[in-house]
Amino acid sequence: MEVKGKIIAVQPVQSGEGKNGAWKKQDYVIEYEQNSQYPRKMMFNLWGDKIDQYNIQEGQILSVSFDIDCREYNGRWYNDIRAWRVESGNETPASDGFIPAQPPVTPEIAPSDDASDLPF
């Protein structure tokens, strides 16, 4: 799933030690459907190296791709919205550190009249 909006809150990094070693995560709040009468908000998180990779700051306009999962702990259920890709929501490169994805460049090959140019 994907949502595009403005980051309105960046929570402190949380870290700890688990059975698989050290971990860290950070939560962010994004406001989307900003043009509606009642804008929506969603909290998502990033884990590990993705925190430093994306360096999300309050006020950025972003497009966030995420997965939703649910887990049980002590008889209660909790939703987890984990981002796996974050891209700038701006159309042009900005000072926020994100560059929009560019289409692949296809080299132009001149046509040849000689059938012997085949590589096989």
Side-chain angles (χ1 to χ4, degrees), residues 23-26 45-51 80 82-83:
W23 58 268
K24 67 177 182 175
K25 83 169 193 166
Q26 190 166 21
N45 57 51
L46 289 172
W47 287 79
D49 295 339
K50 290 190 183 291
I51 296 169
D80 185 37
R82 188 175 298 192

Side-chain angles (χ1 to χ4, degrees), residues 4 40 49 65 85:
K4 181 178 177 181
R40 303 279 184 171
D49 295 339
S65 298
R85 182 178 62 208

